[in-house]
Amino acid sequence: MSSTNKKIPSPIVSLLPVAFLVGMLFATIRTFGSDALSGGSQVSLLTTTALCIFIGMAFYRIPWKDYELAITNNIAGIATATIILLIIGALSGTWMISGVVPTLIYYGMQIIHPDFFLASTCIICALVSVMTGSSWTTIATIGIALLGIGKAQGFEEGWIAGAIISGAYFGDKISPLSDTTVLASSVTETPLFTHIRYMMITTVPSLVITLIIFTVMGLTHETNDTQQIAEFAAALNAKFNITPWLLIVPVVTGILIARRVPSIITLFLSTMLAGIFALIFQPELLREIAGDGDIFKGVMMTCYGSTSLPTDNDMLTELVATRGMAGMMNTVWLILCAMCFGGAMTASGMLGSITSVFVRFMKSTVSVVASTVCSGLFLNLATADQYISIILTGNMFSNVYEKKGYESRLLSRTTEDAVTVTSPLIPWNTCGMTQATILSVPTLTYLPYCFFNLISPLMSIFIAAIGYKIIKKPMNNPA
């Protein structure tokens, strides 16, 4: 192969594209603000990709074919995620306009007590995510409904989104149906349920601390008075045909999930069913969206385009506005550009060069785990994709853990503690972009309140420090 004996860039040189990207993104966000995802961030990623390729080709003789192969492999790897993202756009539109989300919000406001709303939100999302194995599906369905309930009860959107994401990523991390859970266990050659049981040691304490924080916040928070909540409910009832029949959609979705129907099929069928229910229960809204009274046109526009329905409540008007599949295009575009950057960093050997620095500090158990955590977090920042980060972290450290006598389950757990849960906290990561788009809450707005995601990596290091259930195998004597 042409790249067999290529010279690898030093860690300092390898950090140049990363530093350049951080500078570019800082300048872009400062200039464009919330509009940075409309093109500025994408240009920043492509410009940094070009810099990385230039350094590799000009100074290290790395052929273009190596970059081309790595980039195309990266993009191929997120093809399914891209399709899911587009279907989620259609699903969020149909679930809203059909009245499914408004119905969940309407009944939810009457059931969930404001004092325990944040903790309840976290628990509900955790349970749904464990059953679905998907944080994306959880956030795009029940998460949006809970966001509406929380706003009606007077909570700031950062706190609500933090509770939603904390719960959703708890399930994403430990569910046997989760692709990241399966990926982390398979990359490190750890049996799936061995991996899940071992993760409980760090995951459960992280969730308990998170729930305590949300409970305390809920008890000290001054919620909207009952009259304001009643006005919000009345506005919902006036705009939508609220009926328990609409709950058939989430129930059917739950059945499909329980029967382990693939995510794309589940989301598509759920979208189609919601579209049919929109025709039955909300024909007037569809005529309003279409503008010419054609309800079929209204359903189609709900799936692919933006909708805006004026109501008697400004908060409700903002909540029920949808963006459809078209609203996901900036995120899809950004993900593709992020994959180009990740591919260029991988092909040039810069990622391997940077992470090799972490290996040098791996002396004690704490340093081994801390180095893995730091490496996983760095890869999340550099490659902008949790799947690539999990694969690279597992591959890079598997030999190190084996040589030092540590069980593979320690690596698999640490990888998930470092990578899976921190991915939605990074604005240019695929997860960070997706959750911010679905919830319409900027990543940096909800980041301080994603306590489970922030605590998990620290908990992993803490458990390593006390050495709880960390078994070091006896080293084989050299031949």
Side-chain angles (χ1 to χ4, degrees):
M1 292 179 65
S2 57
S3 58
T4 300
N5 296 314
K6 65 185 179 184
K7 185 180 177 183
I8 303 298
S10 68
I12 294 177
V13 172
S14 300
L15 282 171
L16 289 178
V18 179
F20 182 77
L21 175 61
V22 172
M24 284 283 289
L25 289 173
F26 176 80
T28 300
I29 293 172
R30 185 175 182 181
T31 303
F32 294 97
S34 59
D35 292 328
L37 294 182
S38 299
S41 296
Q42 290 88 331
V43 173
S44 298
L45 282 162
L46 290 180
T47 304
T48 308
T49 302
L51 173 64
C52 179
I53 293 173
F54 170 75
I55 293 173
M57 293 183 70
F59 299 100
Y60 297 93
R61 307 289 184 181
I62 300 171
W64 164 249
K65 285 186 177 181
D66 286 16
Y67 290 106
E68 190 174 31
L69 180 63
I71 290 171
T72 53
N73 284 341
N74 273 8
I75 292 176
I78 52 94
T80 300
T82 303
I83 295 170
I84 289 175
L85 193 58
L86 291 174
I87 297 177
I88 283 175
L91 179 141
S92 61
T94 55
W95 270 47
M96 185 65 73
I97 302 305
S98 66
V100 172
V101 171
T103 297
L104 289 169
I105 293 173
Y106 183 81
Y107 292 127
M109 285 190 299
Q110 301 172 34
I111 296 172
I112 303 176
H113 195 281
D115 288 351
F116 301 100
F117 170 76
L118 292 175
S120 299
T121 293
C122 186
I123 293 171
I124 291 169
C125 288
L127 292 174
V128 173
S129 190
V130 168
M131 291 186 294
T132 63
S134 171
S135 55
W136 289 20
T137 302
T138 301
I139 293 168
T141 52
I142 193 66
I144 294 176
L146 289 166
L147 185 69
I149 296 170
K151 284 185 175 182
Q153 293 183 346
F155 288 95
E156 294 179 9
E157 61 181 13
W159 276 97
I160 307 168
I164 292 168
I165 291 171
S166 290
Y169 275 85
F170 168 83
D172 196 319
K173 184 181 173 188
I174 68 164
S175 173
L177 305 179
S178 170
D179 46 10
T180 55
T181 305
V182 174
L183 183 62
S185 63
S186 60
V187 167
T188 58
E189 298 182 356
T190 305
L192 178 60
F193 287 99
T194 299
H195 168 59
I196 292 173
R197 285 193 296 270
Y198 201 57
M199 274 199 299
M200 292 295 186
I201 297 171
T202 58
T203 305
V204 171
S206 299
L207 183 66
V208 169
I209 295 171
T210 299
L211 290 175
I212 291 172
I213 295 172
F214 284 136
T215 300
V216 171
M217 174 57 191
L219 292 172
T220 57
H221 176 73
E222 292 185 7
T223 57
N224 288 339
D225 56 44
T226 53
Q227 182 181 353
Q228 188 169 350
I229 295 175
E231 290 175 358
F232 191 88
L236 266 176
N237 209 12
K239 193 66 181 180
F240 294 90
N241 179 14
I242 303 295
T243 168
W245 288 108
L246 288 166
L247 298 178
I248 291 174
V249 178
V251 169
V252 170
T253 304
I255 293 172
L256 292 172
I257 290 166
R259 294 183 67 86
R260 300 188 180 184
V261 176
S263 296
I264 289 180
I265 298 175
T266 296
L267 292 171
F268 180 78
L269 291 177
S270 181
T271 301
M272 295 296 292
L273 184 60
I276 293 171
F277 273 54
L279 290 169
I280 298 172
F281 293 103
Q282 318 293 344
E284 292 303 319
L285 292 184
L286 294 177
R287 292 189 181 97
E288 183 179 341
I289 291 168
D292 58 6
D294 189 334
I295 59 176
F296 173 74
K297 180 181 178 182
V299 171
M300 296 295 285
M301 290 177 66
T302 297
C303 289
Y304 73 77
S306 300
T307 64
S308 180
L309 298 171
T311 70
D312 297 333
N313 186 293
D314 291 338
M315 187 189 302
L316 179 60
T317 300
E318 180 184 347
L319 176 66
V320 300
T322 67
R323 290 176 292 179
M325 296 171 76
M328 295 294 180
M329 291 312 296
N330 280 342
T331 304
V332 171
W333 179 21
L334 191 59
I335 290 172
L336 291 174
C337 294
M339 292 304 98
C340 291
F341 174 63
M345 288 290 288
T346 302
S348 64
M350 292 182 179
L351 276 181
S353 179
I354 294 170
T355 52
S356 67
V357 174
F358 295 111
V359 177
R360 299 175 190 171
F361 297 98
M362 300 173 81
K363 306 294 183 184
S364 63
T365 302
V366 177
S367 62
V368 167
V369 171
S371 295
T372 309
V373 168
C374 292
S375 179
L377 180 58
F378 170 77
L379 288 168
N380 248 344
L381 291 163
T383 66
D385 183 77
Q386 63 176 349
Y387 302 106
I388 296 174
S389 301
I390 288 172
I391 292 169
L392 291 177
T393 302
N395 288 339
M396 286 188 303
F397 289 102
S398 58
N399 288 336
V400 177
Y401 274 66
E402 185 177 355
K403 288 178 181 178
K404 290 184 175 291
Y406 293 105
E407 297 176 308
S408 64
R409 63 178 185 170
L410 178 61
L411 175 58
S412 64
R413 182 182 75 186
T414 308
T415 299
E416 286 242 69
D417 286 339
V419 177
T420 302
V421 297
T422 61
S423 56
L425 307 181
I426 301 165
W428 58 88
N429 190 283
T430 52
C431 292
M433 293 181 284
T434 298
Q435 311 319 346
T437 302
I438 292 173
L439 295 172
S440 297
V441 180
T443 309
L444 297 180
T445 299
Y446 66 65
L447 187 155
Y449 309 107
C450 295
F451 299 110
F452 175 77
N453 308 68
L454 294 168
I455 293 169
S456 290
L458 301 176
M459 184 63 67
S460 192
I461 297 173
F462 173 74
I463 295 297
I466 64 176
Y468 182 69
K469 288 199 174 181
I470 295 180
I471 301 170
K472 194 169 184 180
K473 296 180 290 187
M475 301 297 294
N476 294 325
N477 292 326

